Amino acid sequence: MLISACDDSGVYSNRDIIFPEKDVSYLYHVEPFLKITCTYAGCHGFTNAGNTRFDTYFELMKIPGFIIPGEPNSSQFIQILENETLHITYYYRGNLTQNHKTGMRNWISEGAKLN
């Protein structure tokens, strides 16, 4: 199964997303990453099978315990991303890089800001 997404950001694959070591931006890094890896049809987008939406910052942040600003180890999203908690899309994770995992961890450590 091939899953791809594109939008006007110029990002066509999660391999195109490179997180910086600090000052991670929701708009430039996190949102494009989530769009390509999580919010495609049938998963965590506007119409979804998981009953949790990641298509906006506000939807993402209203899930209790999922993103805990300043606490990546306690955030369920990091636990899923780092395979500490099972998730149905385990087999899609071959396209995730260490940069993606570290970038998401850094964004949460920096306060999970809408920036």
Side-chain angles (χ1 to χ4, degrees):
M1 173 187 283
L2 175 65
I3 296 173
S4 69
C6 61
D7 57 25
D8 60 359
S9 70
V11 176
Y12 301 101
S13 148
N14 63 357
R15 296 279 180 187
D16 295 330
I17 299 167
I18 307 294
F19 285 84
E21 290 184 26
K22 62 180 182 173
D23 299 323
V24 177
S25 165
Y26 175 81
L27 295 174
Y28 294 110
H29 308 107
V30 176
E31 184 176 77
F33 175 74
L34 293 174
K35 281 184 178 179
I36 289 176
T37 60
C38 305
T39 65
Y40 43 82
C43 287
H44 298 291
F46 182 70
T47 57
N48 66 70
N51 292 325
T52 52
R53 290 176 48 190
F54 303 167
D55 56 337
T56 71
Y57 176 84
F58 301 103
E59 289 292 333
L60 181 67
M61 297 305 286
K62 77 178 188 182
I63 305 164
F66 197 68
I67 302 290
I68 303 171
E71 299 184 33
N73 291 334
S74 299
S75 297
Q76 186 181 20
F77 184 76
I78 295 299
Q79 295 168 6
I80 291 169
L81 200 63
E82 295 178 351
N83 298 322
E84 294 174 18
T85 299
L86 293 178
H87 189 269
I88 194 166
T89 60
Y90 179 78
Y91 49 90
Y92 291 130
R93 297 190 193 168
N95 291 326
L96 298 180
T97 67
Q98 186 59 48
N99 174 263
H100 296 142
K101 295 173 187 178
T102 301
M104 289 301 301
R105 178 177 276 284
N106 289 345
W107 175 68
I108 294 170
S109 291
E110 293 171 349
K113 299 173 195 160
L114 176 57
N115 57 352

